[in-house]
Each structure stands twice: as structure tokens, then as C-alpha cells.
Amino acid sequence: MLRRVDAEQSVAELMADIGRKARAAAQPLSIAPPDQKTAALLAMADAIDRRSAEILTANKRDMANGLEAGMAASLLDRLKLDDKRIAGISESIRTIAELKDPVGDIIAEWDRPNGLHIERVRTPLGVIGVIYESRPNVTADAGALCLKSGNAVILRGGSDSIHSSNAICEALLEGLEVSGLPKDAIQLVPTTDRAAVGEMLKGLGGNLDVIIPRGGKSLVARVQSEARVPVFAHLEGLCHLYIDASADLAMARKIAVNAKMRRTGVCGSAETLLVDRLIAPSHLVPLLEDLRAAGCEIRGDSAVTELFADAKRATDEDWSTEYLDAIISVKLVDGIGGAIGHINHYSSHHTEAVIAEDLHVVERFFNEIDSAILLHNASTQFADGGEFGMGAEIGIATGKMHARGPVGVEQLTSFKYRVRGNGQTRP
Amino acid sequence: MLRRVDAEQSVAELMADIGRKARAAAQPLSIAPPDQKTAALLAMADAIDRRSAEILTANKRDMANGLEAGMAASLLDRLKLDDKRIAGISESIRTIAELKDPVGDIIAEWDRPNGLHIERVRTPLGVIGVIYESRPNVTADAGALCLKSGNAVILRGGSDSIHSSNAICEALLEGLEVSGLPKDAIQLVPTTDRAAVGEMLKGLGGNLDVIIPRGGKSLVARVQSEARVPVFAHLEGLCHLYIDASADLAMARKIAVNAKMRRTGVCGSAETLLVDRLIAPSHLVPLLEDLRAAGCEIRGDSAVTELFADAKRATDEDWSTEYLDAIISVKLVDGIGGAIGHINHYSSHHTEAVIAEDLHVVERFFNEIDSAILLHNASTQFADGGEFGMGAEIGIATGKMHARGPVGVEQLTSFKYRVRGNGQTRP
């Protein structure tokens, strides 16, 4: 499927053609019966398993190219596939196959005094563009989630994983074919030319309804600033954990370590710990000792460094840094008001948690902070579609439009109104 | 409140300042208790009534300027206020005051096996920009709807109505003041310089979350093509009415006349009538005679002009023309498949209606057409937030993102997740 872009066809023409094909596929896909989409997904998973040798061969080629190009070890690890990872990919597709089909769901319905019955029902969005870095599994996850939600998808993977992504995509296409769905429902951009991304950001002449970037901050920042179509994404997860004076100390200690250290590289990892000044004398040292014992570097304001000598002094930059590493910034604040003020100023509106027994504090935290996910007495690391019960997600969005928080199959839908009458005219 | 833009302050600086003030007002507004917002709205309505002489004086000034500038009679009529229209404005604010407050509504909630309780709750969007033509009542409607939904609003009215809009806005500000809400919650752009619109389209440095254009096609087209923030709007309402072979002829005749002729200038007015070829010999002439008798010009394809001599011959352009006038284009189609094909090709995805007794036909119409509103056995003129039971609307959106169909107070909200735990950490 890797087409060579011939000299006669510019990248702009290639992408416009992909957009037209995606739009044409979106219509039959939008009315495909749930069973047909499920069958396609199960066939895709089987094809992934059956073609695993082929996929591994393609991946070896990408890995060899990466090594030769001097790719960093962490990136090579993300790129690498093995039998276990391939089994994980097909398993993930099977999980998506089993999700409830969102299309046609009646979200709300009501009657009007004149006898009209109004239903608001879910519909696919249309054509979704996914732009991602060199993680071959995203090809399968994004393709499967978009199909389940009745959308056509245009996949633009990282150039370093092009052979792996292509081999995986071939398996997805086999699933489309055996189930009788249009093959253009899933298209992998067949060129590594960066101009292809530029064309997607311009919206492919109206044939792209939304873009989902999956990757590092620079990719997301470029997409958010240049895209002429809606974007579902978060630029960063600068998540806060606030320990109120009313907190249960044992719970706070357990959650602080989990929120920061369970996995430091995920967007739901806590980056700043705010502690109520009232309880600093008793609570701060145990909290920070636990974090230090777990291998975390502590950067505190002057009040923190006074109480905890092992803390480095935080600079202004620390309060707006997403470390994605075993580092945490720590500040004393004047109760819930101080916590809210700090969070509303520095937060990336992703996820924040409060540890408190005082429910008035919790209500203020829930009401006055405008982030996608707010948690009470639970770890910020629950910021995840799977943990929310959505089954699978394609990312977490911090925008306020349409999708916010985990983006699962429901968030990949729009809606329309169906109105049933028996001859009503408007007076 | 009409500030003179002094030489030192550019329009860009003025608008940036308005954006910052709106953002600052949005936070307290987002947590204002429902009663406080209701009180503000009722005070606004009272202030409109009390200040009616003042508002009429301002309106006379706009009318005089309009007359002098040679404004068209239809535009002068839209601009003109009188006692009855002012009473309508305050009545409309009172209706909005009585709507259910959407902020804090729990849209969905569920429990997770680990004991986490997840709620999805409505939150305001933030700052809304409304760009509209010289209709003074939009100042009050838009201001009231945005306030009810907890949003700050920046109003940019037509320059021909600036004095009327300003007098109305003064009454709104009085309502904010007596109820203790931030006065920057509603700001009317105090300059008629068109560069102000350009600044809004650029998003006021991140301080504008959504733009709602209210006005003619050229205004909406400019906003949709240039805005760097989300837009809730429809460019046109190219609505279709399909009469299936299974239709009840009497119902079809009644609905066709209503859909086209009740009001021809509204977006929900039908522009194209599609008739199943099977029943053309018996049904077409009565349908078209009713329309002609109601004063409607008929433009048909060759099959239509053959059967109905008074029809003009439609050109290709007719199928994509929103007449907003007493003209209808008429075409014979091959059943529901032909109707769906025509509509999906020419529709503006606003509103379409099917008249049929065969429910399989209705289901295909409902499933296979991707427009915001689909009606069965009812007039397209029901495309209206009030008729949907939303109480009031700020417009109808045809985009697939976030708001689709009538945009009422619920559609002016976003949501966030509140998660309640008792010490959960993620394994």
C-alpha cells in the first residue's frame, strides 16, 4: 500500500485525493450496521495475529533505520514490536470490538405539546485525521476506535515507523475487506513528506472534520496553532494535588506517591503538590519523605525548603513545568482558596485532585476549578479513558468544545435531531 | 458607555483589553448561584421597561442616520424600535430568566468497580463573542442567554444600531450591578471600526472561546472562513421537503404550503420540494396549485414543467439556492433513494422533512441524511429552539462539533468530570 508519490502528483494532490476518498467512505460507514463493524474489527484482530511475522519483519526494518539514524533509546523502545506487543495490539482491537456501538444511540428524547416527538441521536463525526509519532500501536488503536464510531480515518504516523504502521494497516484493511466495508474507511498516508501534515492541518478542502494529534508537546503545539479544523488534544498535563488541612494523612501520603510516581511519563502524573499551610508542620515532612523514598526529587518554595532540608529551591519556572519525570514541585498555600488561586493560574486544565475530609472544601475545589477532570480522595493517575470505563481512548482533551477529558468512542460522535410528527404545521 | 477610542489606543489594544476583562469576569460568573443570575435577568428586563424612552431616543438617532445614509426599507424595519418591540425585548429576557439553569447539571454519572463515582457536569464555556447586524434586540437576547449559561459575552452589533444597542446594554449593565455580578460579564464593543471584528476572529489572545455570528450569509461566511476560534452558526438553510409515494396527499399539501410560505425569510423555510416520481401524475399538480395559490413561484425540472405548465424551468443553480423568498424549486426523484441522493448532494445540513406513511422510508430518511434536524410528517419551519422546547435560542448551528441544531442555554455550556473516591490509587 506504500505508494510512491510520482513526480506528476504533488503531495497536495495526493492528500486532496485521500480526503475525497475518506469523505466518500464516511457515508456508507455512517450507516453500517453495528454487527458489520464488530465483524470487521474481529477480522482485523485475527489478521494482526496471522500476519505477526510480516509485521515483525517490517518493524525490524524500521528499527534498523532508526538505529542507523541514531534514534534515542527511549524512542527505539516505543518503536519496537515483539510477539507480546503484537498480541497486545490485537487484544486492544478485540476490546474495542466489544464496546457498545455509539451510533444511533438516543441521547435524549421528549414530547412537545403539539405532539411532535423529538429525539437527539448520536451520529459519526465524519472524517477524523490522526497525526502521531512513531508508535506503531496507535495505527491499530486509532483505526479501530474511528471505525467503531462510524468515522473514516486518515492516519499519519511518524516517518520512523512507516513500515510497521503500513504492515499493521494492511491487516486492518483485510478486516474491512472481508466484512464488506469500504476500504477507504482507513487510509494510512503513504508518504513521509512533512507537507502531508500541512495539508491535513488545512482541512483537506473540507474533507476533514477533526484532527487528533498523539505525541509530544511540539507536535501538539504545532497542530493546535496551525489547524483550521477542530482539534481534540491536550498540550500538557500539568496536574496538581492539593492536601487540605482536613485531609487524612495516611491517605494523602499513599495518594501523593501514587499520583507522582506510579508512572511519571503519563499526562495524569502530578507535577505540583500543594499543601495547606495550617498542617505543614505535621504533614509536610512525612509526605515528602515518602516521595523521596520513592525516588522523587523535591523542589519547594522557601517555606518548604525550611521544613524539609532535602528539597531544592523551586524557581518560578517550576510551577509551570510538566516534568514527566521523577520530580515534583511543592508549595504551601493558604487553604482551599490559595490552592484554587494557584491551580487556576498555572494549570493546563487537565486533571487536579484534592485530598480532604471537609466536604465544603471539596465542593469549592469541584466548582471553582475549571479543569477537565477533578478528583476527590483519589489519585490523578485515574485520568484515563479505560479507568473511566470508556473501554479505550484515543487521548485526553483539554479544550472546552465537544470532547473534554478522555476521548473514547462516544466522544468521536456528533448528534442530530429526529422529529416525528403526524401532520404538524407551524402556526 | 460609548467610549471614544483615543489616538493612543489602537483597536487591537482596546479589544485585547475587552478580552482580558471578559476572561476575568467569566470566573466569578461561572460560580454565580442560579438565583443571582435570575435576579440579574429580571432586573435587566425591568430596566429595559423603565428606560424605554431613552432607548427609543437612541433608536431615533440610529433611524435618522440610516435614513440619511439611504438604508433599505427592510433594514430600517429591522432596526426600528417601538413600544411594542421594547416590551417584546423585556419579555424575552424574562422568558430566559425562567429557564432552568444549565450550570452544574449532572449530565451523566456512574460508578466504577474500584468505588470511584464519576459525574459529568455542565460548566459554562467561558467567553462568547456575538457578532451581529443591526438588530437591537439581539443585544438583549444574546446578553441574557450568555448570562443564564454563566458565560461572559462580548457583543459586537451592527454599526447602524450602535446607539440603540448601547442604550439596551446600559439596561443590561444595570441588572448586573444591582445583583452584584461583575459588570464586565456583558461588554458591548464601543467602536464601529471593522478592525474590532478582525480582532475577535483572531480570538483576543485566547480570551474568546467561541464566536456566534448572527446575520446574513456574507457575515457568516467571513466569520466561518477567518475565525481562529470555534464558530456556532449556519451559513444557509437550504431545506428540503420530500413527498414519498406513501404520503397522505392532504397532509403533504398542508405541510408543503406551511414549510415554504409560513415565513419565507427564515432559515427553516423549505427551498426545494422533491416528489416521488411514482405519484407525480396524481400528486404533483395539487401540491403545486396550492403553492401557487399561496403566492409562490414554481421552478421545476423538465418532468415538472411537463406536468405543470405554470412552472418555470429550473437551472442547475436553483438546486443550490436559498431563496428566502416566495420561490420553490421542484424536482421528481426516484423514491427515497433518489431523495437521499439529491439532499446529501445539495443540502446545507440544516433541516429536511419527509412526508410518508411507509416507516421504512422514514427510517432511511432519518439514518442516511446527515443534517442537524430531520422531520417526519411535520413542517421544516419547526426548526427553531423555541419550538424544540429550549425556551430561546441564539441561532441554529450546522457544524458537527459541540452545538448542532438550535443553540440554547445548554448548548452554551461545556462539561467537566467530578470524581469522588475514598483513597483510591491506581495499581
Side-chain angles (χ1 to χ4, degrees):
Chain A
M1 204 198 71
L2 273 189
R3 279 175 275 164
R4 194 168 296 277
V5 180
D6 69 40
E8 300 300 306
Q9 189 187 37
S10 69
V11 172
E13 285 163 357
L14 168 76
M15 294 306 296
D17 187 48
I18 287 176
R20 279 188 296 269
K21 285 177 178 164
R23 180 64 75 205
Q27 209 275 335
L29 200 60
S30 74
I31 55 172
D35 288 352
Q36 192 181 13
K37 290 186 283 181
T38 303
L41 289 165
L42 295 175
M44 286 173 186
D46 292 345
I48 294 275
D49 290 338
R50 201 179 337 99
R51 290 160 174 258
S52 65
E54 214 172 292
I55 295 169
L56 285 174
T57 304
N59 184 250
K60 284 209 177 74
R61 204 168 148 192
D62 285 333
M63 290 291 291
N65 290 343
L67 272 169
E68 203 180 292
M71 196 189 266
S74 63
L75 297 180
L76 282 170
D77 179 62
R78 283 194 341 197
L79 175 57
K80 188 180 167 58
L81 292 177
D82 54 29
D83 285 335
K84 199 181 149 203
R85 287 187 173 181
I86 289 181
I89 289 173
S90 59
E91 199 40 46
S92 169
I93 298 175
R94 288 190 186 95
T95 303
I96 293 167
E98 281 161 22
L99 293 178
K100 188 175 172 313
D101 193 307
V103 178
D105 242 22
I106 298 173
I107 311 167
E109 58 183 319
W110 62 97
D111 290 300
R112 296 292 302 150
N114 60 8
L116 288 179
H117 180 75
I118 301 181
E119 298 170 336
R120 178 153 53 194
V121 296
R122 282 195 203 286
T123 62
L125 283 172
V127 180
I128 296 174
V130 184
I131 301 174
Y132 52 106
E133 293 175 342
S134 293
R135 287 180 181 234
N137 64 306
V138 176
T139 305
D141 278 355
L145 282 166
C146 291
L147 180 71
K148 185 75 187 187
S149 48
N151 296 289
V153 64
I154 298 172
L155 299 165
R156 208 298 185 171
S159 52
D160 298 319
S161 62
I162 184 95
H163 300 99
S164 316
S165 290
N166 188 54
I168 290 169
C169 194
E170 291 287 354
L172 305 184
L173 296 183
E174 186 183 322
L176 291 173
E177 197 179 351
V178 301
S179 61
L181 288 171
K183 72 173 184 11
D184 293 330
I186 299 177
Q187 293 180 85
L188 181 69
V189 174
T191 168
T192 57
D193 193 321
R194 279 176 167 242
V197 172
E199 293 300 322
M200 288 175 76
L201 298 182
K202 282 187 263 173
L204 304 181
N207 285 326
L208 196 53
D209 295 299
V210 61
I211 293 179
I212 302 175
R214 285 286 309 262
K217 201 170 157 181
S218 66
L219 170 66
V220 176
R222 180 187 170 194
V223 170
Q224 286 185 334
S225 81
E226 293 179 25
R228 299 308 311 259
V229 291
V231 174
F232 295 165
H234 67 275
L235 189 59
E236 48 186 18
L238 217 156
C239 307
H240 296 78
L241 176 65
Y242 167 60
I243 316 293
D244 185 65
S246 68
D248 175 295
L249 177 60
M251 186 193 289
R253 291 170 69 170
K254 189 179 67 160
I255 289 177
V257 170
N258 187 265
K260 176 70 245 183
M261 298 299 292
R262 174 185 159 271
R263 283 180 65 191
T264 57
V266 298
C267 57
S269 163
E271 308 292 5
T272 298
L273 175 68
L274 302 172
V275 178
D276 192 337
R277 201 178 302 279
L278 278 180
I279 49 156
S282 55
H283 287 39
L284 187 70
V285 171
L287 280 163
L288 300 189
E289 274 178 351
D290 284 358
L291 282 163
R292 193 186 46 181
C296 188
E297 178 185 326
I298 317 284
R299 300 190 188 170
D301 67 358
S302 59
V304 169
T305 52
E306 249 173 57
L307 288 166
F308 191 75
D310 276 5
K312 291 190 185 166
R313 186 64 189 275
T315 65
D316 267 3
E317 214 189 324
D318 281 296
W319 313 118
S320 42
T321 297
E322 184 190 26
Y323 301 114
L324 294 173
D325 203 348
I327 307 170
I328 196 163
S329 56
V330 186
K331 191 178 191 175
L332 301 191
V333 293
D334 292 320
I336 179 68
I340 291 168
H342 181 93
I343 293 171
N344 280 343
H345 186 76
Y346 290 104
S347 166
S348 62
H349 307 294
H350 189 293
T351 297
E352 334 288 348
V354 57
I355 312 303
E357 295 302 307
D358 180 342
L359 294 182
H360 294 291
V361 165
V362 178
E363 288 318 298
R364 282 197 65 192
F365 192 88
F366 276 179
N367 289 334
E368 299 183 33
I369 296 176
D370 189 24
S371 295
I373 302 172
L374 299 167
L375 300 118
H376 169 224
N377 286 355
S379 170
T380 55
Q381 299 240 358
F382 285 109
D384 173 273
E387 293 297 325
F388 270 57
M390 295 178 180
E393 63 163 59
I394 198 164
I396 289 188
T398 51
K400 286 189 207 167
M401 290 294 154
H402 197 86
R404 197 178 198 208
V407 182
V409 289
E410 273 189 11
Q411 287 69 34
L412 296 178
T413 62
S414 180
F415 59 87
K416 63 184 173 188
Y417 292 97
R418 297 193 302 215
V419 185
R420 297 173 201 274
N422 48 19
Q424 284 86 346
T425 54
R426 190 166 167 194
Chain B
M1 205 199 71
L2 273 188
R3 279 175 275 166
R4 194 168 297 279
V5 180
D6 68 40
E8 300 300 307
Q9 189 187 39
S10 70
V11 171
E13 285 163 358
L14 168 76
M15 295 306 295
D17 187 48
I18 288 176
R20 279 187 297 267
K21 286 177 176 163
R23 180 64 73 205
Q27 210 274 335
L29 200 60
S30 73
I31 56 172
D35 288 352
Q36 192 181 14
K37 291 186 283 181
T38 304
L41 290 164
L42 295 175
M44 287 174 185
D46 292 345
I48 294 276
D49 288 340
R50 200 178 337 101
R51 290 160 175 258
S52 65
E54 212 171 295
I55 295 169
L56 285 174
T57 305
N59 184 249
K60 285 207 176 75
R61 202 166 149 195
D62 285 332
M63 290 292 290
N65 290 344
L67 272 169
E68 203 180 293
M71 197 189 267
S74 62
L75 296 180
L76 281 170
D77 180 62
R78 285 197 335 198
L79 175 58
K80 187 179 166 59
L81 292 177
D82 54 27
D83 285 336
K84 199 180 150 203
R85 284 186 175 183
I86 288 181
I89 288 173
S90 58
E91 198 43 43
S92 169
I93 297 174
R94 288 190 186 96
T95 303
I96 293 166
E98 281 161 23
L99 294 179
K100 187 176 172 313
D101 193 307
V103 178
D105 243 22
I106 297 173
I107 312 166
E109 58 183 320
W110 63 96
D111 290 299
R112 297 292 301 150
N114 60 7
L116 288 179
H117 180 75
I118 302 181
E119 299 170 335
R120 177 154 52 196
V121 296
R122 281 195 204 286
T123 61
L125 284 172
V127 180
I128 296 175
V130 184
I131 301 174
Y132 53 106
E133 292 174 341
S134 293
R135 287 178 181 236
N137 64 307
V138 176
T139 304
D141 277 355
L145 282 166
C146 290
L147 181 70
K148 185 75 187 186
S149 47
N151 296 290
V153 64
I154 298 171
L155 300 165
R156 210 294 184 174
S159 51
D160 299 319
S161 62
I162 184 90
H163 299 99
S164 316
S165 290
N166 188 54
I168 291 169
C169 194
E170 291 287 354
L172 305 185
L173 296 183
E174 186 183 323
L176 290 174
E177 197 180 349
V178 302
S179 61
L181 288 171
K183 72 174 183 14
D184 293 331
I186 300 177
Q187 294 179 85
L188 182 69
V189 174
T191 169
T192 58
D193 192 321
R194 278 174 169 246
V197 172
E199 294 299 323
M200 289 175 75
L201 298 182
K202 282 187 264 172
L204 304 180
N207 285 326
L208 196 54
D209 295 300
V210 61
I211 293 179
I212 302 174
R214 285 286 310 260
K217 200 171 157 179
S218 66
L219 170 66
V220 176
R222 179 186 171 198
V223 170
Q224 286 186 332
S225 81
E226 292 179 25
R228 298 307 312 259
V229 291
V231 174
F232 295 164
H234 67 275
L235 188 61
E236 49 185 16
L238 217 157
C239 306
H240 296 79
L241 176 64
Y242 167 60
I243 315 293
D244 185 66
S246 68
D248 174 294
L249 177 59
M251 186 193 290
R253 290 170 69 169
K254 190 179 65 157
I255 288 177
V257 171
N258 186 266
K260 176 72 244 182
M261 298 300 291
R262 173 184 161 271
R263 285 180 63 191
T264 58
V266 297
C267 58
S269 162
E271 307 293 2
T272 297
L273 175 67
L274 302 172
V275 178
D276 193 337
R277 200 179 303 278
L278 277 179
I279 49 156
S282 55
H283 287 38
L284 187 71
V285 172
L287 279 163
L288 299 190
E289 274 179 349
D290 284 357
L291 282 163
R292 193 185 47 183
C296 187
E297 179 186 324
I298 317 283
R299 300 188 187 170
D301 67 358
S302 60
V304 169
T305 53
E306 250 173 55
L307 288 166
F308 191 75
D310 276 6
K312 292 192 183 164
R313 185 65 188 272
T315 65
D316 268 0
E317 213 189 322
D318 281 295
W319 313 118
S320 44
T321 298
E322 183 190 25
Y323 301 114
L324 293 173
D325 203 349
I327 307 170
I328 197 164
S329 56
V330 186
K331 191 178 191 176
L332 302 190
V333 293
D334 293 320
I336 178 67
I340 290 168
H342 181 93
I343 293 171
N344 280 343
H345 186 77
Y346 290 103
S347 166
S348 62
H349 307 294
H350 188 294
T351 296
E352 334 288 346
V354 57
I355 313 302
E357 296 301 308
D358 180 341
L359 294 183
H360 293 292
V361 164
V362 179
E363 288 317 299
R364 282 198 65 191
F365 191 88
F366 276 179
N367 289 334
E368 298 183 31
I369 296 175
D370 189 25
S371 295
I373 301 172
L374 299 167
L375 300 119
H376 169 224
N377 286 354
S379 170
T380 55
Q381 300 240 356
F382 284 109
D384 174 271
E387 293 295 327
F388 269 57
M390 295 178 183
E393 64 163 59
I394 198 165
I396 290 187
T398 53
K400 285 189 206 167
M401 290 294 153
H402 197 88
R404 198 177 196 208
V407 181
V409 288
E410 273 189 12
Q411 286 71 34
L412 297 178
T413 62
S414 180
F415 59 86
K416 63 184 173 188
Y417 292 95
R418 298 194 299 218
V419 184
R420 298 174 202 273
N422 49 18
Q424 283 85 348
T425 54
R426 190 168 166 195

